[in-house]
Each structure stands twice: as C-alpha cells, then as structure tokens.
Amino acid sequence: MSLDCVLIFLLLLTRALGNYTSTLWEHRCDPGSEIFACTVPNFLYRPNQNHSTLTVPETVRKVRLAYPTDKILTRRDTIVTYDATLHAVLHHPKAVQIAHTMLKRIVVPLDLEYADFRDNSIQTVFAPEVNGSVYALRYLDLRNNELVQIDSLSTLVNLETLILHANRISVLDGSTLSGFTKLTGLDLGGNMLEEISASHLPASLEWLILRRNMLSGSVDFEGAHLPALKVLDIQHNYCNELDVSVLLKVAPNLDGIMLDGNFITSQDGKVIMTNLVDSGVSHDEFVPSDSERDDINDHYYHQQQKVKVLEDIIAGTLAVVNVCVIGWGFYRVYKSRVSIVTEPASCSTV
C-alpha cells in the first residue's frame, strides 16, 4: 500500500470518527408509554459533551429517563446533571423523573412543576432568583441523595410536597422552611437532625415525617403553629418525653402520631397514650405490653448469653493458639541451640 493510500485511509477514518462523535443519539418514547409518561431507558447527557436527543409527540408533558431499569444497557452515570440544556432537549416537560443514574447536580428550570430525582448522588440543587420570576415547581422528590442543607431551595416557594428522606441533613435553615407557605407534605426522615425548629414549620403542613433522625429529649413543639397538621411521624429517634397538651394546642386537627422506637418509659407512655386517646388522636403501639416487654427482656437475655458463650469460645481459641505459638517458639529455640552445640562437637571429632 502506497503512502498516498495510507494518508487517504487515515483522512477518511478521521472524518468518520468525527461524524460519529458529533452525531446525536435520537430516542423515541417506549411504545405506548407516551400516554402516561414518555419513558426512555437509555439516554446520555453530560454537559459540554455529545448527548442524546428525544423525539416526542407535542402532547407529551411528562418524561421519565433511565426507566425501566431492566432495559438499561449502559453504566449508571449516563446522566450526571439536569440543567436548562437537558430540559430543552426534553422539550420543556412539566414533569420529569430520573432515578438511579448518579445525578450529582440539579439546576431547576422555571417551568418545571414535578421533579422526581430519587436514588441518585445529588449534592447540589441550584434555584437562583431570575429577574423576579417565580419557580413553578410544586413536587420535589430528592430521597436517597447526598444533600447536607436545604437553603438552596428557598426560592421554590410554590412547593407543596418536599421529600428529603435519607440525605445527610443535620441542620435545618428555619428561614427556608418558613418560606414554604404552600407546603403540605414534608419528609425529613432518615437524616441526622438533632433538633427541629418547630416555630419555623409552615402552617400549611398536613403531614410531617421525622422518623430515623437523632432527635432526643422532649419533643418540643412550643411556638409552632400547625393548624392543618394531621399526621406526625417521630418513630425511631431518642425522644423520652412528649407534652400532648402543647402538641394539640399547636396542632388541634392532629389525627395520628407514630412514636415507636423512642425511649419513652412504660409509665410515661401510658400517660401519653391516655391523653392521645382522650383527644381522639390515633397512635401506634409505642409502649409494649408487659408480656411483650418480658419477651423483649427474655430475648435480650438470651442474646447476651449467646454473646457471652461466643466470647468465651473466642477467648478459649485464642488461648490455645497462643499456647501453640509459644510452644512452637520454644521448640524452635531449643532446636537451634541443639544444632549449635552439635556442630562444634562434630568438627572436633573430625
């Protein structure tokens, strides 16, 4: 092959590769899915790189990417950001769902109303003020991500449902909470909250989930104003007190409360239960009966016995191993000394 042929081949190859890397991968909705929400399992978007495009009917206003998960062919980090460019590529949907893709960064579009970004790696959400415009977002699901604060959400004043379950939030910005004047549902479960600023909770709240945090001591709702609150979940914290009279004063329409998994004593728990029942508020069985408590104590005793037996077995095994190691060490020292004594004797004989 002549040099000219080689050069022509390389030129054609370079042009072909260039065309490939500049080609946009075009997707259509899974057949039939556009009736409910246009679903696309394999979609690629990384800022400032080649990305997919989407062809949808004009009537489609809901888009679900990386779904269904069993049809995904590529690795998880195919979509790392949701921003204005991707929003435009998806034809400005009113609702979008992107889960299990390792999204790290969200820039909220002004016209988006429903956003489900659960089960990603989101650390940052940008919703900056834009010339006095108001964000349309009403529903935001950020469960199972990596957020440590919520102050960047303060401009989302039209939120009605906010799900922040299983993030890394340890401190709440009270001014941000109080700004959500339309918020009816707030899920803060599974975070690292040691206290909650009750006085900053929106009066519009109908349900509040605080389970699996680090709340301790008294559950203090003094100063709150929650006339619409119907359901309160404080399960699996470290609380040992609850002033029912204060709670019902600030939340007179409370229908149910869940307290299981806290450190409320049997005596205090029975008083709390009585007050709740007298006020018509349903509750879970957060105080075990005497028989259940006996079962718990028996189970704890047996578990401790098993742990003790296991510790004894491990200690005995370690003792035997130590004796064997020490014995083997003495044996090796003895053998080395015998060999040293034997060698000079052999030499003298010779």
Side-chain angles (χ1 to χ4, degrees), residues 43 76 78 83 86 93 95 107 130 135 142 152 176 180 219 242 244 255-256 280 291 337 350:
F43 196 94
R76 289 187 62 197
T78 52
D83 56 14
L86 178 54
V107 182
V130 183
Y135 287 89
L142 292 169
S152 62
T176 299
F180 297 143
V219 186
L242 174 65
V244 176
D255 288 333
S291 60
R337 288 182 176 179
V350 174

Side-chain angles (χ1 to χ4, degrees), residues 15-30:
R15 177 173 295 181
L17 291 174
N19 289 336
Y20 174 75
T21 55
S22 62
T23 300
L24 300 180
W25 291 276
E26 183 176 341
H27 296 276
R28 296 181 181 274
C29 309
D30 271 3

Side-chain angles (χ1 to χ4, degrees), residues 156-176:
L156 305 178
V157 294
N158 281 318
L159 278 177
E160 297 175 19
T161 299
L162 177 58
I163 302 176
L164 296 168
H165 186 90
N167 277 271
R168 301 176 181 176
I169 302 169
S170 58
V171 178
L172 285 176
D173 186 333
S175 60
T176 299

Side-chain angles (χ1 to χ4, degrees), residues 128-184:
E129 294 184 4
V130 183
N131 299 325
S133 300
V134 179
Y135 287 89
L137 196 63
R138 298 167 53 199
Y139 184 102
L140 179 58
D141 190 341
L142 292 169
R143 78 186 73 184
N144 294 317
N145 278 284
E146 299 176 8
L147 294 173
V148 296
Q149 56 187 13
I150 65 167
D151 57 333
S152 62
L153 308 179
S154 61
T155 55
L156 305 178
V157 294
N158 281 318
L159 278 177
E160 297 175 19
T161 299
L162 177 58
I163 302 176
L164 296 168
H165 186 90
N167 277 271
R168 301 176 181 176
I169 302 169
S170 58
V171 178
L172 285 176
D173 186 333
S175 60
T176 299
L177 284 177
S178 59
F180 297 143
T181 57
K182 298 181 180 180
L183 195 66
T184 61

